[in-house]
Amino acid sequence: QVQLVESGGGSVQAGGSLRLSCAVSGYTYCMAWFRQAPGKEREFVSSIVNNDRTSVSDSVKGRFTISKDNAKNTLYLQMNSLKPEDTAMYYCAADDNIWVCGKIGATGSTLTYNYWGQGTQVTVSS
């Protein structure tokens, strides 16, 4: 059973930075960050597959970076140049199924991931 615990959220002014962490227990093959703003659907932010292949949404490209520290079994999301529109609850997600994770386009879909954290709030003020 995989367990995910996010931390690192908070309030920051536009242009600032935050680093989100997701502590992982159990085996995972693909992991991702999603976010959900009030009244909106949960949207893909960034993913990492097999600890090396990464992808990132166009809305955060060049500003956010996903990484994983295998020694600490922790997933990170470094967020720079934050904008008010980045305000949302951020969720860590994971799955352990190689076939599911490897399907084309899978990592960007909420349906891929069986395991989710409780979320951490990020608020960016202008």
Side-chain angles (χ1 to χ4, degrees):
Q1 184 75 10
V2 175
Q3 292 186 327
L4 308 172
V5 179
E6 302 101 329
S7 61
S11 296
V12 64
Q13 288 192 329
S17 298
L18 283 174
R19 188 177 77 160
L20 305 183
S21 300
C22 175
V24 183
S25 64
Y27 170 79
T28 62
Y29 188 75
C30 60
M31 298 194 69
W33 290 98
F34 286 79
R35 66 186 182 185
Q36 188 167 18
K40 294 188 177 182
E41 292 188 355
R42 193 167 296 190
E43 67 169 353
F44 169 76
V45 176
S46 188
S47 65
I48 184 166
V49 178
N50 197 26
N51 299 322
D52 59 8
R53 286 176 284 134
T54 63
S55 63
V56 63
S57 72
D58 289 341
S59 62
V60 305
K61 192 170 290 182
R63 300 187 297 121
F64 291 11
T65 303
I66 193 171
S67 62
K68 189 167 184 284
D69 185 330
N70 293 320
K72 296 182 178 179
N73 217 15
T74 301
L75 180 73
Y76 299 103
L77 184 69
Q78 178 66 44
M79 306 186 296
N80 299 328
S81 302
L82 282 161
K83 304 175 181 180
E85 51 263 44
D86 295 319
T87 295
M89 185 72 79
Y90 283 71
Y91 296 91
C92 174
D95 204 83
D96 53 4
N97 188 304
I98 294 175
W99 182 80
V100 169
C101 291
K103 291 173 67 176
I104 295 175
T107 56
S109 170
T110 58
L111 299 177
T112 296
Y113 304 95
N114 273 321
Y115 306 103
W116 292 83
Q118 80 288 353
T120 186
Q121 178 68 37
V122 171
T123 302
V124 184
S125 58
S126 57

mmCIF file of all heavy atoms in Angstrom, residues 40-87:
data_model
loop_
_atom_site.group_PDB
_atom_site.id
_atom_site.type_symbol
_atom_site.label_atom_id
_atom_site.label_comp_id
_atom_site.label_asym_id
_atom_site.label_seq_id
_atom_site.Cartn_x
_atom_site.Cartn_y
_atom_site.Cartn_z
ATOM 1 N N LYS A 40 -12.953 24.664 -9.877
ATOM 2 C CA LYS A 40 -12.344 24.168 -11.108
ATOM 3 C C LYS A 40 -12.008 22.693 -10.985
ATOM 4 O O LYS A 40 -11.923 22.151 -9.881
ATOM 5 C CB LYS A 40 -11.083 24.973 -11.439
ATOM 6 C CG LYS A 40 -11.351 26.425 -11.771
ATOM 7 C CD LYS A 40 -10.092 27.111 -12.267
ATOM 8 C CE LYS A 40 -10.367 28.544 -12.679
ATOM 9 N NZ LYS A 40 -9.141 29.209 -13.208
ATOM 10 N N GLU A 41 -11.784 22.060 -12.139
ATOM 11 C CA GLU A 41 -11.397 20.658 -12.134
ATOM 12 C C GLU A 41 -9.921 20.516 -11.744
ATOM 13 O O GLU A 41 -9.122 21.443 -11.899
ATOM 14 C CB GLU A 41 -11.621 20.050 -13.525
ATOM 15 C CG GLU A 41 -13.078 19.933 -13.909
ATOM 16 C CD GLU A 41 -13.272 19.157 -15.203
ATOM 17 O OE1 GLU A 41 -12.268 18.799 -15.854
ATOM 18 O OE2 GLU A 41 -14.439 18.908 -15.557
ATOM 19 N N ARG A 42 -9.606 19.334 -11.251
ATOM 20 C CA ARG A 42 -8.217 19.054 -10.920
ATOM 21 C C ARG A 42 -7.424 18.988 -12.218
ATOM 22 O O ARG A 42 -7.826 18.316 -13.171
ATOM 23 C CB ARG A 42 -8.123 17.724 -10.161
ATOM 24 C CG ARG A 42 -6.795 17.474 -9.501
ATOM 25 C CD ARG A 42 -6.869 16.328 -8.515
ATOM 26 N NE ARG A 42 -7.761 16.638 -7.398
ATOM 27 C CZ ARG A 42 -7.863 15.894 -6.303
ATOM 28 N NH1 ARG A 42 -7.121 14.805 -6.168
ATOM 29 N NH2 ARG A 42 -8.702 16.232 -5.350
ATOM 30 N N GLU A 43 -6.271 19.673 -12.243
ATOM 31 C CA GLU A 43 -5.491 19.727 -13.467
ATOM 32 C C GLU A 43 -4.056 19.237 -13.248
ATOM 33 O O GLU A 43 -3.482 19.401 -12.160
ATOM 34 C CB GLU A 43 -5.465 21.151 -14.045
ATOM 35 C CG GLU A 43 -4.736 22.167 -13.219
ATOM 36 C CD GLU A 43 -4.515 23.487 -13.957
ATOM 37 O OE1 GLU A 43 -4.816 23.570 -15.157
ATOM 38 O OE2 GLU A 43 -4.033 24.432 -13.300
ATOM 39 N N PHE A 44 -3.506 18.667 -14.293
ATOM 40 C CA PHE A 44 -2.147 18.143 -14.286
ATOM 41 C C PHE A 44 -1.134 19.275 -14.211
ATOM 42 O O PHE A 44 -1.283 20.296 -14.886
ATOM 43 C CB PHE A 44 -1.928 17.320 -15.556
ATOM 44 C CG PHE A 44 -0.506 16.938 -15.798
ATOM 45 C CD1 PHE A 44 0.085 15.918 -15.064
ATOM 46 C CD2 PHE A 44 0.236 17.570 -16.765
ATOM 47 C CE1 PHE A 44 1.399 15.548 -15.300
ATOM 48 C CE2 PHE A 44 1.542 17.217 -17.017
ATOM 49 C CZ PHE A 44 2.128 16.202 -16.283
ATOM 50 N N VAL A 45 -0.102 19.069 -13.410
ATOM 51 C CA VAL A 45 0.993 20.041 -13.310
ATOM 52 C C VAL A 45 2.280 19.440 -13.881
ATOM 53 O O VAL A 45 2.875 19.997 -14.788
ATOM 54 C CB VAL A 45 1.213 20.494 -11.854
ATOM 55 C CG1 VAL A 45 2.416 21.425 -11.766
ATOM 56 C CG2 VAL A 45 -0.039 21.168 -11.299
ATOM 57 N N SER A 46 2.701 18.303 -13.319
ATOM 58 C CA SER A 46 3.958 17.712 -13.757
ATOM 59 C C SER A 46 4.015 16.263 -13.314
ATOM 60 O O SER A 46 3.364 15.881 -12.337
ATOM 61 C CB SER A 46 5.136 18.496 -13.179
ATOM 62 O OG SER A 46 6.364 18.058 -13.721
ATOM 63 N N SER A 47 4.796 15.441 -14.042
ATOM 64 C CA SER A 47 4.907 14.033 -13.685
ATOM 65 C C SER A 47 6.331 13.538 -13.892
ATOM 66 O O SER A 47 7.125 14.150 -14.606
ATOM 67 C CB SER A 47 3.947 13.194 -14.527
ATOM 68 O OG SER A 47 4.307 13.243 -15.887
ATOM 69 N N ILE A 48 6.613 12.398 -13.258
ATOM 70 C CA ILE A 48 7.895 11.733 -13.433
ATOM 71 C C ILE A 48 7.631 10.237 -13.466
ATOM 72 O O ILE A 48 6.870 9.703 -12.645
ATOM 73 C CB ILE A 48 8.889 12.129 -12.314
ATOM 74 C CG1 ILE A 48 10.262 11.515 -12.561
ATOM 75 C CG2 ILE A 48 8.354 11.759 -10.933
ATOM 76 C CD1 ILE A 48 11.361 12.143 -11.691
ATOM 77 N N VAL A 49 8.259 9.573 -14.450
ATOM 78 C CA VAL A 49 8.049 8.143 -14.637
ATOM 79 C C VAL A 49 9.373 7.415 -14.469
ATOM 80 O O VAL A 49 10.372 7.815 -15.064
ATOM 81 C CB VAL A 49 7.470 7.847 -16.031
ATOM 82 C CG1 VAL A 49 7.295 6.347 -16.234
ATOM 83 C CG2 VAL A 49 6.144 8.571 -16.218
ATOM 84 N N ASN A 50 9.371 6.370 -13.672
ATOM 85 C CA ASN A 50 10.566 5.554 -13.482
ATOM 86 C C ASN A 50 11.770 6.396 -13.086
ATOM 87 O O ASN A 50 12.890 6.100 -13.471
ATOM 88 C CB ASN A 50 10.868 4.746 -14.750
ATOM 89 C CG ASN A 50 11.824 3.597 -14.489
ATOM 90 O OD1 ASN A 50 11.910 3.082 -13.385
ATOM 91 N ND2 ASN A 50 12.568 3.224 -15.514
ATOM 92 N N ASN A 51 11.506 7.437 -12.330
ATOM 93 C CA ASN A 51 12.559 8.306 -11.778
ATOM 94 C C ASN A 51 13.367 9.059 -12.821
ATOM 95 O O ASN A 51 14.391 9.654 -12.476
ATOM 96 C CB ASN A 51 13.522 7.496 -10.902
ATOM 97 C CG ASN A 51 12.816 6.873 -9.726
ATOM 98 O OD1 ASN A 51 11.931 7.480 -9.140
ATOM 99 N ND2 ASN A 51 13.187 5.647 -9.396
ATOM 100 N N ASP A 52 12.948 9.080 -14.099
ATOM 101 C CA ASP A 52 13.750 9.823 -15.055
ATOM 102 C C ASP A 52 12.946 10.600 -16.091
ATOM 103 O O ASP A 52 13.302 11.715 -16.424
ATOM 104 C CB ASP A 52 14.783 8.919 -15.749
ATOM 105 C CG ASP A 52 14.126 7.749 -16.490
ATOM 106 O OD1 ASP A 52 12.892 7.721 -16.597
ATOM 107 O OD2 ASP A 52 14.862 6.882 -16.965
ATOM 108 N N ARG A 53 11.874 10.055 -16.621
ATOM 109 C CA ARG A 53 11.123 10.753 -17.657
ATOM 110 C C ARG A 53 10.146 11.721 -17.019
ATOM 111 O O ARG A 53 9.276 11.317 -16.247
ATOM 112 C CB ARG A 53 10.390 9.755 -18.536
ATOM 113 C CG ARG A 53 11.306 9.005 -19.483
ATOM 114 C CD ARG A 53 10.539 7.960 -20.261
ATOM 115 N NE ARG A 53 10.234 6.788 -19.448
ATOM 116 C CZ ARG A 53 9.039 6.207 -19.406
ATOM 117 N NH1 ARG A 53 8.038 6.689 -20.108
ATOM 118 N NH2 ARG A 53 8.867 5.125 -18.663
ATOM 119 N N THR A 54 10.294 13.004 -17.379
ATOM 120 C CA THR A 54 9.425 14.022 -16.780
ATOM 121 C C THR A 54 8.592 14.716 -17.851
ATOM 122 O O THR A 54 8.965 14.745 -19.027
ATOM 123 C CB THR A 54 10.227 15.083 -16.013
ATOM 124 O OG1 THR A 54 11.082 15.768 -16.930
ATOM 125 C CG2 THR A 54 11.069 14.460 -14.906
ATOM 126 N N SER A 55 7.472 15.243 -17.417
ATOM 127 C CA SER A 55 6.665 16.087 -18.293
ATOM 128 C C SER A 55 6.056 17.184 -17.436
ATOM 129 O O SER A 55 5.945 17.046 -16.210
ATOM 130 C CB SER A 55 5.582 15.286 -19.001
ATOM 131 O OG SER A 55 4.677 14.735 -18.062
ATOM 132 N N VAL A 56 5.683 18.269 -18.089
ATOM 133 C CA VAL A 56 5.177 19.422 -17.357
ATOM 134 C C VAL A 56 4.120 20.111 -18.208
ATOM 135 O O VAL A 56 4.204 20.116 -19.438
ATOM 136 C CB VAL A 56 6.335 20.377 -16.988
ATOM 137 C CG1 VAL A 56 6.985 20.929 -18.237
ATOM 138 C CG2 VAL A 56 5.871 21.494 -16.083
ATOM 139 N N SER A 57 3.118 20.659 -17.576
ATOM 140 C CA SER A 57 2.065 21.334 -18.322
ATOM 141 C C SER A 57 2.579 22.655 -18.879
ATOM 142 O O SER A 57 3.505 23.262 -18.340
ATOM 143 C CB SER A 57 0.858 21.589 -17.425
ATOM 144 O OG SER A 57 1.140 22.602 -16.483
ATOM 145 N N ASP A 58 1.984 23.083 -19.965
ATOM 146 C CA ASP A 58 2.402 24.338 -20.596
ATOM 147 C C ASP A 58 2.231 25.531 -19.669
ATOM 148 O O ASP A 58 2.989 26.493 -19.745
ATOM 149 C CB ASP A 58 1.596 24.565 -21.882
ATOM 150 C CG ASP A 58 1.995 23.609 -22.992
ATOM 151 O OD1 ASP A 58 3.092 23.022 -22.916
ATOM 152 O OD2 ASP A 58 1.193 23.435 -23.930
ATOM 153 N N SER A 59 1.257 25.472 -18.778
ATOM 154 C CA SER A 59 0.971 26.619 -17.908
ATOM 155 C C SER A 59 2.071 26.883 -16.884
ATOM 156 O O SER A 59 2.159 27.984 -16.346
ATOM 157 C CB SER A 59 -0.358 26.402 -17.192
ATOM 158 O OG SER A 59 -0.299 25.265 -16.364
ATOM 159 N N VAL A 60 2.905 25.886 -16.611
ATOM 160 C CA VAL A 60 3.966 26.067 -15.615
ATOM 161 C C VAL A 60 5.357 25.815 -16.189
ATOM 162 O O VAL A 60 6.347 25.911 -15.462
ATOM 163 C CB VAL A 60 3.736 25.169 -14.385
ATOM 164 C CG1 VAL A 60 2.362 25.422 -13.791
ATOM 165 C CG2 VAL A 60 3.920 23.702 -14.721
ATOM 166 N N LYS A 61 5.420 25.517 -17.469
ATOM 167 C CA LYS A 61 6.710 25.199 -18.094
ATOM 168 C C LYS A 61 7.668 26.378 -17.940
ATOM 169 O O LYS A 61 7.301 27.534 -18.135
ATOM 170 C CB LYS A 61 6.502 24.874 -19.568
ATOM 171 C CG LYS A 61 7.694 24.260 -20.269
ATOM 172 C CD LYS A 61 7.321 23.745 -21.638
ATOM 173 C CE LYS A 61 6.428 22.537 -21.538
ATOM 174 N NZ LYS A 61 6.076 21.972 -22.873
ATOM 175 N N GLY A 62 8.895 26.054 -17.548
ATOM 176 C CA GLY A 62 9.900 27.088 -17.343
ATOM 177 C C GLY A 62 9.882 27.699 -15.950
ATOM 178 O O GLY A 62 10.800 28.432 -15.586
ATOM 179 N N ARG A 63 8.848 27.377 -15.169
ATOM 180 C CA ARG A 63 8.746 27.928 -13.810
ATOM 181 C C ARG A 63 8.765 26.828 -12.746
ATOM 182 O O ARG A 63 9.294 27.034 -11.659
ATOM 183 C CB ARG A 63 7.465 28.745 -13.669
ATOM 184 C CG ARG A 63 7.358 29.915 -14.615
ATOM 185 C CD ARG A 63 6.144 30.788 -14.302
ATOM 186 N NE ARG A 63 4.875 30.081 -14.455
ATOM 187 C CZ ARG A 63 3.986 29.915 -13.484
ATOM 188 N NH1 ARG A 63 4.203 30.407 -12.284
ATOM 189 N NH2 ARG A 63 2.842 29.261 -13.721
ATOM 190 N N PHE A 64 8.182 25.695 -13.039
ATOM 191 C CA PHE A 64 8.093 24.586 -12.075
ATOM 192 C C PHE A 64 8.993 23.441 -12.525
ATOM 193 O O PHE A 64 9.091 23.149 -13.725
ATOM 194 C CB PHE A 64 6.659 24.060 -11.978
ATOM 195 C CG PHE A 64 5.663 24.988 -11.346
ATOM 196 C CD1 PHE A 64 5.951 26.312 -11.087
ATOM 197 C CD2 PHE A 64 4.399 24.513 -11.000
ATOM 198 C CE1 PHE A 64 5.014 27.150 -10.504
ATOM 199 C CE2 PHE A 64 3.457 25.344 -10.426
ATOM 200 C CZ PHE A 64 3.771 26.668 -10.179
ATOM 201 N N THR A 65 9.593 22.771 -11.545
ATOM 202 C CA THR A 65 10.452 21.619 -11.835
ATOM 203 C C THR A 65 10.125 20.485 -10.886
ATOM 204 O O THR A 65 10.117 20.673 -9.660
ATOM 205 C CB THR A 65 11.934 21.993 -11.680
ATOM 206 O OG1 THR A 65 12.240 23.100 -12.537
ATOM 207 C CG2 THR A 65 12.820 20.811 -12.057
ATOM 208 N N ILE A 66 9.890 19.301 -11.447
ATOM 209 C CA ILE A 66 9.633 18.108 -10.637
ATOM 210 C C ILE A 66 10.927 17.318 -10.481
ATOM 211 O O ILE A 66 11.751 17.269 -11.395
ATOM 212 C CB ILE A 66 8.530 17.242 -11.279
ATOM 213 C CG1 ILE A 66 8.029 16.166 -10.311
ATOM 214 C CG2 ILE A 66 9.013 16.613 -12.587
ATOM 215 C CD1 ILE A 66 6.792 15.422 -10.813
ATOM 216 N N SER A 67 11.095 16.734 -9.307
ATOM 217 C CA SER A 67 12.267 15.897 -9.079
ATOM 218 C C SER A 67 11.941 14.883 -7.990
ATOM 219 O O SER A 67 10.971 15.027 -7.263
ATOM 220 C CB SER A 67 13.475 16.724 -8.677
ATOM 221 O OG SER A 67 13.239 17.398 -7.452
ATOM 222 N N LYS A 68 12.768 13.851 -7.921
ATOM 223 C CA LYS A 68 12.570 12.818 -6.892
ATOM 224 C C LYS A 68 13.904 12.430 -6.298
ATOM 225 O O LYS A 68 14.856 12.162 -7.033
ATOM 226 C CB LYS A 68 11.862 11.598 -7.476
ATOM 227 C CG LYS A 68 11.419 10.578 -6.429
ATOM 228 C CD LYS A 68 10.459 9.579 -7.025
ATOM 229 C CE LYS A 68 9.932 8.617 -5.973
ATOM 230 N NZ LYS A 68 10.887 7.592 -5.593
ATOM 231 N N ASP A 69 13.962 12.439 -4.997
ATOM 232 C CA ASP A 69 15.148 12.005 -4.265
ATOM 233 C C ASP A 69 14.890 10.573 -3.803
ATOM 234 O O ASP A 69 14.123 10.343 -2.875
ATOM 235 C CB ASP A 69 15.401 12.930 -3.078
ATOM 236 C CG ASP A 69 16.684 12.621 -2.343
ATOM 237 O OD1 ASP A 69 17.100 11.434 -2.332
ATOM 238 O OD2 ASP A 69 17.285 13.552 -1.782
ATOM 239 N N ASN A 70 15.522 9.619 -4.470
ATOM 240 C CA ASN A 70 15.265 8.215 -4.157
ATOM 241 C C ASN A 70 15.786 7.821 -2.785
ATOM 242 O O ASN A 70 15.214 6.970 -2.116
ATOM 243 C CB ASN A 70 15.870 7.321 -5.231
ATOM 244 C CG ASN A 70 15.162 7.489 -6.548
ATOM 245 O OD1 ASN A 70 13.942 7.609 -6.592
ATOM 246 N ND2 ASN A 70 15.916 7.512 -7.632
ATOM 247 N N ALA A 71 16.878 8.448 -2.362
ATOM 248 C CA ALA A 71 17.434 8.131 -1.046
ATOM 249 C C ALA A 71 16.464 8.522 0.066
ATOM 250 O O ALA A 71 16.353 7.844 1.080
ATOM 251 C CB ALA A 71 18.764 8.837 -0.867
ATOM 252 N N LYS A 72 15.767 9.637 -0.143
ATOM 253 C CA LYS A 72 14.801 10.105 0.852
ATOM 254 C C LYS A 72 13.385 9.655 0.523
ATOM 255 O O LYS A 72 12.461 9.907 1.300
ATOM 256 C CB LYS A 72 14.843 11.629 0.947
ATOM 257 C CG LYS A 72 16.166 12.187 1.440
ATOM 258 C CD LYS A 72 16.113 13.702 1.552
ATOM 259 C CE LYS A 72 17.425 14.252 2.087
ATOM 260 N NZ LYS A 72 17.420 15.736 2.192
ATOM 261 N N ASN A 73 13.206 9.009 -0.622
ATOM 262 C CA ASN A 73 11.886 8.592 -1.089
ATOM 263 C C ASN A 73 10.888 9.746 -1.027
ATOM 264 O O ASN A 73 9.788 9.624 -0.463
ATOM 265 C CB ASN A 73 11.363 7.399 -0.290
ATOM 266 C CG ASN A 73 10.594 6.436 -1.167
ATOM 267 O OD1 ASN A 73 10.669 6.500 -2.394
ATOM 268 N ND2 ASN A 73 9.837 5.541 -0.558
ATOM 269 N N THR A 74 11.304 10.854 -1.608
ATOM 270 C CA THR A 74 10.500 12.069 -1.566
ATOM 271 C C THR A 74 10.416 12.692 -2.951
ATOM 272 O O THR A 74 11.422 12.779 -3.657
ATOM 273 C CB THR A 74 11.097 13.080 -0.580
ATOM 274 O OG1 THR A 74 11.146 12.498 0.724
ATOM 275 C CG2 THR A 74 10.260 14.349 -0.521
ATOM 276 N N LEU A 75 9.216 13.094 -3.320
ATOM 277 C CA LEU A 75 8.962 13.797 -4.570
ATOM 278 C C LEU A 75 8.902 15.290 -4.265
ATOM 279 O O LEU A 75 8.342 15.679 -3.226
ATOM 280 C CB LEU A 75 7.632 13.345 -5.174
ATOM 281 C CG LEU A 75 7.207 13.981 -6.493
ATOM 282 C CD1 LEU A 75 8.062 13.432 -7.637
ATOM 283 C CD2 LEU A 75 5.734 13.723 -6.750
ATOM 284 N N TYR A 76 9.454 16.096 -5.152
ATOM 285 C CA TYR A 76 9.460 17.546 -4.956
ATOM 286 C C TYR A 76 8.824 18.258 -6.144
ATOM 287 O O TYR A 76 8.796 17.751 -7.260
ATOM 288 C CB TYR A 76 10.895 18.060 -4.800
ATOM 289 C CG TYR A 76 11.634 17.494 -3.621
ATOM 290 C CD1 TYR A 76 12.581 16.487 -3.792
ATOM 291 C CD2 TYR A 76 11.403 17.970 -2.335
ATOM 292 C CE1 TYR A 76 13.264 15.967 -2.712
ATOM 293 C CE2 TYR A 76 12.090 17.454 -1.247
ATOM 294 C CZ TYR A 76 13.016 16.459 -1.448
ATOM 295 O OH TYR A 76 13.689 15.943 -0.367
ATOM 296 N N LEU A 77 8.355 19.458 -5.877
ATOM 297 C CA LEU A 77 7.931 20.373 -6.937
ATOM 298 C C LEU A 77 8.489 21.749 -6.574
ATOM 299 O O LEU A 77 8.010 22.374 -5.625
ATOM 300 C CB LEU A 77 6.414 20.431 -7.082
ATOM 301 C CG LEU A 77 5.927 21.298 -8.247
ATOM 302 C CD1 LEU A 77 6.291 20.636 -9.587
ATOM 303 C CD2 LEU A 77 4.411 21.523 -8.177
ATOM 304 N N GLN A 78 9.515 22.153 -7.295
ATOM 305 C CA GLN A 78 10.081 23.487 -7.102
ATOM 306 C C GLN A 78 9.286 24.452 -7.952
ATOM 307 O O GLN A 78 9.199 24.282 -9.175
ATOM 308 C CB GLN A 78 11.557 23.507 -7.505
ATOM 309 C CG GLN A 78 12.207 24.866 -7.376
ATOM 310 C CD GLN A 78 12.300 25.344 -5.940
ATOM 311 O OE1 GLN A 78 12.662 24.584 -5.044
ATOM 312 N NE2 GLN A 78 11.964 26.610 -5.710
ATOM 313 N N MET A 79 8.709 25.454 -7.306
ATOM 314 C CA MET A 79 7.858 26.410 -7.997
ATOM 315 C C MET A 79 8.473 27.796 -7.891
ATOM 316 O O MET A 79 8.609 28.335 -6.782
ATOM 317 C CB MET A 79 6.455 26.401 -7.380
ATOM 318 C CG MET A 79 5.817 25.025 -7.333
ATOM 319 S SD MET A 79 4.107 25.046 -6.773
ATOM 320 C CE MET A 79 4.315 25.630 -5.102
ATOM 321 N N ASN A 80 8.859 28.352 -9.022
ATOM 322 C CA ASN A 80 9.456 29.688 -9.082
ATOM 323 C C ASN A 80 8.552 30.632 -9.860
ATOM 324 O O ASN A 80 7.673 30.199 -10.597
ATOM 325 C CB ASN A 80 10.827 29.622 -9.742
ATOM 326 C CG ASN A 80 11.810 28.753 -8.992
ATOM 327 O OD1 ASN A 80 11.768 28.655 -7.761
ATOM 328 N ND2 ASN A 80 12.699 28.098 -9.717
ATOM 329 N N SER A 81 8.799 31.914 -9.717
ATOM 330 C CA SER A 81 8.029 32.937 -10.441
ATOM 331 C C SER A 81 6.532 32.696 -10.301
ATOM 332 O O SER A 81 5.782 32.715 -11.291
ATOM 333 C CB SER A 81 8.437 32.948 -11.921
ATOM 334 O OG SER A 81 9.820 33.186 -12.057
ATOM 335 N N LEU A 82 6.092 32.488 -9.088
ATOM 336 C CA LEU A 82 4.690 32.153 -8.857
ATOM 337 C C LEU A 82 3.761 33.299 -9.234
ATOM 338 O O LEU A 82 4.115 34.488 -9.089
ATOM 339 C CB LEU A 82 4.487 31.767 -7.397
ATOM 340 C CG LEU A 82 4.951 30.344 -7.058
ATOM 341 C CD1 LEU A 82 5.164 30.177 -5.569
ATOM 342 C CD2 LEU A 82 3.955 29.314 -7.569
ATOM 343 N N LYS A 83 2.591 32.917 -9.725
ATOM 344 C CA LYS A 83 1.582 33.878 -10.161
ATOM 345 C C LYS A 83 0.294 33.644 -9.353
ATOM 346 O O LYS A 83 0.063 32.523 -8.873
ATOM 347 C CB LYS A 83 1.276 33.687 -11.644
ATOM 348 C CG LYS A 83 2.483 33.774 -12.551
ATOM 349 C CD LYS A 83 2.099 33.446 -13.991
ATOM 350 C CE LYS A 83 3.294 33.506 -14.920
ATOM 351 N NZ LYS A 83 2.915 33.191 -16.322
ATOM 352 N N PRO A 84 -0.547 34.661 -9.241
ATOM 353 C CA PRO A 84 -1.816 34.465 -8.515
ATOM 354 C C PRO A 84 -2.637 33.296 -9.082
ATOM 355 O O PRO A 84 -3.317 32.606 -8.310
ATOM 356 C CB PRO A 84 -2.532 35.800 -8.707
ATOM 357 C CG PRO A 84 -1.415 36.796 -8.826
ATOM 358 C CD PRO A 84 -0.341 36.081 -9.601
ATOM 359 N N GLU A 85 -2.546 33.056 -10.368
ATOM 360 C CA GLU A 85 -3.304 31.948 -10.970
ATOM 361 C C GLU A 85 -2.751 30.578 -10.592
ATOM 362 O O GLU A 85 -3.357 29.554 -10.929
ATOM 363 C CB GLU A 85 -3.375 32.093 -12.491
ATOM 364 C CG GLU A 85 -2.051 32.307 -13.174
ATOM 365 C CD GLU A 85 -1.771 33.774 -13.452
ATOM 366 O OE1 GLU A 85 -2.004 34.623 -12.546
ATOM 367 O OE2 GLU A 85 -1.294 34.075 -14.567
ATOM 368 N N ASP A 86 -1.615 30.522 -9.917
ATOM 369 C CA ASP A 86 -1.101 29.255 -9.410
ATOM 370 C C ASP A 86 -1.759 28.872 -8.076
ATOM 371 O O ASP A 86 -1.525 27.771 -7.560
ATOM 372 C CB ASP A 86 0.416 29.332 -9.191
ATOM 373 C CG ASP A 86 1.177 29.513 -10.490
ATOM 374 O OD1 ASP A 86 0.818 28.862 -11.489
ATOM 375 O OD2 ASP A 86 2.143 30.299 -10.492
ATOM 376 N N THR A 87 -2.552 29.754 -7.537
ATOM 377 C CA THR A 87 -3.231 29.487 -6.273
ATOM 378 C C THR A 87 -4.158 28.283 -6.416
ATOM 379 O O THR A 87 -5.018 28.236 -7.304
ATOM 380 C CB THR A 87 -4.047 30.707 -5.825
ATOM 381 O OG1 THR A 87 -3.155 31.782 -5.545
ATOM 382 C CG2 THR A 87 -4.872 30.393 -4.585
#
